């Protein structure tokens, strides 16, 4: 009984100072991954980058040789000499120098004309569709990745399948019926925090480790508490170590997305076992004065992902990690009267990393044949999801995406 009281007292002190505890605390979840999934060193990892607000695909992958493009965008069109050339008719936004380097290295795949039938131009509904992979049903019980986690439950048992970085709210795509997926705003919040001198902190940790290791191996609540605390302490130490010793292979730009991706790289390097990471970049709802805002967003996206890829390669992880970007919709082809663009439909996705098949995939959507002023999609986003799940992560996709969709040749 005294051991139980002492152990609980130690845990209560730790909990008050921010240490991982029981229940929904992400550290406990990370800890199970550290013990049970670290052996999966060859496991592939998918990183999703959400471009929230509706990215203007036409000024991201630029049809610089198209007269209709320049006619419908007299103020916003990017000229042939400014675009970073991908081929004879397409180029990247001039701020995307990092993406151009990746493209030239064969580590950037540009997937054109991605969307879904009967596109919805509401931010909330369209984003829900991309997160759930259910265009015809308003059902938020789970997300496409959450269903993939559930279908792979045996493989993922005892592990953390995914982590959302830089957010307080779990993205709908990661909502699962069988797994709790942690959200982490800041890695520094998920370390062991103890008061006192260095010696006092070491003594407290030693006592906690000893108490946590005194379990009977049974299934009582106290034994569960001990096991959770033991692995949480171990994970906390590993996170602390990787934060203090981590040296990126290439300096990251000073941007929010870059900081979030650096955290992802740190967690991958710490080998915490997650197979999916999710981050978001906001600000793409460019209805007015688009040019400057979109340029900054393109620079942030491109620079952050280029640094992330270089960092992973420097740590010998480049072949294990694939990044995919998505946005809820593109923008209208014709610019509006406020020097911006309104909600559209189809747009491009990017696949980034050594596992991507570099180059341009699919034709650029026609500017002669529009749907209510918007580009028509020719590639269903669920085909991209199916490819990522089955050919990259090695998971069955049909239940996750709600049917059979043709896989695409997007991976190297």
């Amino acid at each position: 009984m005294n051991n139980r009281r002492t152990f609980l007292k130690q845990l209560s002190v730790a909990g008050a100072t921010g240490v991982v505890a029981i229940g929904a605390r992400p550290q406990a979840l990370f800890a199970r991954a550290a013990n049970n999934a670290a052996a999966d060193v060859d496991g592939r990892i998918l990183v999703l980058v959400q471009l929230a607000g509706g990215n203007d695909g036409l000024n991201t992958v630029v049809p610089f040789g198209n007269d209709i493009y320049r006619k419908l965008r007299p103020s916003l069109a990017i000229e042939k000499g400014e675009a970073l050339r991908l081929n004879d008719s397409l180029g990247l936004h001039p701020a995307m120098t990092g993406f151009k380097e990746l493209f030239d290295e064969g580590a950037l795949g540009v997937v054109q004309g991605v969307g879904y039938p009967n596109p919805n131009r509401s931010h909330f509904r369209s984003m829900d569709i991309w997160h759930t992979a259910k265009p015809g049903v308003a059902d938020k019980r789970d997300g496409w990745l959450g269903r993939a986690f559930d279908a792979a439950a045996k493989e993922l048992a005892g592990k953390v399948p995914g982590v959302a970085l830089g957010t307080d709210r779990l993205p709908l795509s990661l909502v699962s019926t069988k797994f709790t997926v942690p959200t982490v705003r800041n890695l520094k919040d998920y370390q062991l925090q103890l008061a006192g001198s260095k010696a006092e902190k070491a003594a407290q940790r030693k006592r906690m480790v000893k108490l946590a290791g005194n379990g009977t191996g049974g299934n009582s609540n106290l034994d569960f508490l001990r096991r959770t605390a033991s692995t949480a302490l171990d994970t906390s130490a590993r996170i602390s170590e990787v934060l203090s010793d981590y040296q990126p292979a290439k300096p990251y730009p000073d941007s929010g997305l870059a900081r979030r991706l650096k955290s992802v790289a740190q967690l991958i390097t710490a080998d915490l076992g997650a197979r999916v990471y999710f981050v978001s970049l906001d600000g793409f709802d460019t209805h007015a004065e688009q040019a400057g805002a979109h340029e900054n967003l393109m620079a942030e996206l491109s620079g952050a992902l280029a640094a992330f890829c270089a960092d992973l390669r420097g740590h010998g992880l480049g072949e294990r990690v694939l990044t995919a970007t998505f946005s809820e919709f593109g923008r209208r082809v014709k610019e509006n009267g406020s020097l911006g663009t309104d909600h559209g439909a189809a747009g491009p996705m990017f696949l980034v990393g050594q596992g991507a098949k570099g180059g341009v995939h699919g034709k650029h959507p026609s500017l002669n044949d529009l749907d209510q002023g918007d580009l028509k999609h020719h590639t269903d986003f669920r085909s991209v999801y199916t490819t990522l799940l089955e050919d990259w992560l090695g998971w069955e996709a049909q239940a996750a995406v709600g049917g059979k969709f043709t896989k695409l040749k997007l991976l190297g």
Side-chain angles (χ1 to χ4, degrees):
M1 181 65 70
N2 286 338
N3 278 346
R4 183 177 185 275
R5 288 198 184 110
T6 303
F7 182 56
L8 292 174
K9 182 178 179 181
Q10 289 282 356
L11 280 183
S12 68
V13 171
T17 54
V19 176
V20 271
I22 313 284
R25 294 275 188 173
Q27 294 93 327
L29 298 170
F30 285 150
R32 292 174 211 154
N35 273 11
N36 298 315
D40 187 24
V41 294
D42 295 322
R44 289 177 171 180
I45 292 169
L46 175 66
V47 179
L48 288 178
V49 179
Q50 172 181 283
L51 310 181
N55 178 42
D56 180 17
L58 271 178
N59 273 23
T60 302
V61 181
V62 184
F64 56 75
N66 192 297
D67 292 337
I68 299 175
Y69 166 70
R70 291 191 297 272
K71 179 180 179 181
L72 294 179
R73 295 191 169 200
S75 301
L76 293 179
I78 294 171
E79 297 299 326
K80 181 177 180 179
E82 299 174 341
L84 304 175
R85 184 182 291 267
L86 300 177
N87 56 35
D88 291 340
S89 60
L90 298 173
L92 293 172
H93 188 287
M96 304 182 78
T97 54
F99 267 26
K100 180 59 164 64
E101 292 174 3
L102 290 169
F103 185 86
D104 291 344
E105 294 168 3
L108 176 70
V110 183
V111 189
Q112 300 201 91
V114 184
Y116 55 90
N118 303 312
N120 192 296
R121 293 168 179 82
S122 160
H123 288 295
F124 302 105
R125 179 65 190 129
S126 189
M127 191 59 85
D128 285 349
I129 288 170
W130 279 82
H131 277 257
T132 63
K134 294 180 178 180
V137 182
D139 182 358
K140 296 187 179 183
R141 287 177 296 178
D142 52 24
W144 71 280
L145 282 166
R147 292 193 296 276
F149 299 158
D150 292 345
K154 288 185 179 179
E155 173 190 339
L156 297 173
K159 305 176 184 179
V160 178
V163 179
L165 270 294
T167 180
D168 292 324
R169 183 177 180 181
L170 182 66
L172 178 55
S173 57
L174 300 180
V175 174
S176 162
T177 61
K178 297 180 181 179
F179 295 90
T180 300
V181 178
T183 61
V184 178
R185 176 160 290 281
N186 190 327
L187 286 186
K188 292 182 180 179
D189 294 339
Y190 297 100
Q191 299 180 68
L192 181 60
Q193 305 292 333
L194 296 172
S197 66
K198 184 175 182 180
E200 290 171 334
K201 292 178 181 179
Q204 290 180 65
R205 168 180 276 279
K206 186 176 180 180
R207 287 195 297 272
M208 294 174 71
V209 170
K210 182 178 179 180
L211 288 166
N214 285 337
T216 65
N219 293 317
S220 69
N221 289 338
L222 182 57
D223 283 319
F224 171 77
L225 182 66
R226 290 182 188 278
R227 289 193 298 270
T228 302
S230 179
T231 52
L233 287 166
D234 176 65
T235 300
S236 176
R238 294 174 68 180
I239 291 176
S240 180
E241 181 180 354
V242 76
L243 287 180
S244 61
D245 297 340
Y246 190 81
Q247 294 294 328
K250 178 180 179 180
Y252 282 81
D254 184 16
S255 72
L257 180 61
R259 287 187 287 274
R260 290 187 285 277
L261 288 172
K262 181 181 177 182
S263 293
V264 172
Q266 288 173 299
L267 289 176
I268 293 172
T269 302
D271 209 11
L272 295 176
R275 300 292 304 279
V276 176
Y277 291 89
F278 186 103
V279 298
S280 183
L281 176 61
D282 299 337
F284 286 89
D285 197 18
T286 50
H287 286 282
E289 303 291 339
Q290 174 178 303
H294 196 246
E295 179 180 357
N296 292 336
L297 289 165
M298 293 295 95
E300 181 170 0
L301 174 66
S302 172
L305 274 170
F308 179 62
C309 286
D311 193 7
L312 293 172
R313 286 197 300 268
H315 286 91
L317 296 167
E319 294 183 354
R320 284 184 56 194
V321 183
L322 180 71
T323 300
T325 73
F326 74 97
S327 192
E328 65 262 45
F329 43 62
R331 313 296 292 188
R332 187 141 295 188
V333 175
K334 184 178 181 179
E335 67 179 57
N336 61 30
S338 299
L339 301 181
T341 53
D342 298 322
H343 299 178
M349 293 180 69
F350 294 106
L351 299 184
V352 186
Q354 290 175 245
K357 183 178 181 180
V360 177
H361 302 280
K363 295 181 179 180
H364 193 280
S366 171
L367 297 184
N368 295 314
D369 181 19
L370 303 178
D371 177 12
Q372 301 179 51
D374 297 329
L375 300 176
K376 292 182 178 180
H377 85 283
H378 57 64
T379 297
D380 195 297
F381 74 98
R382 290 164 291 184
S383 282
V384 181
Y385 285 179
T386 297
T387 305
L388 295 175
L389 288 171
E390 295 194 350
D391 290 352
W392 184 253
L393 293 174
W395 295 342
E396 193 277 329
Q398 186 170 345
V401 302
K404 291 185 178 181
F405 292 86
T406 303
K407 288 195 292 185
L408 309 172
K409 296 179 180 179
L410 302 177
L411 305 180

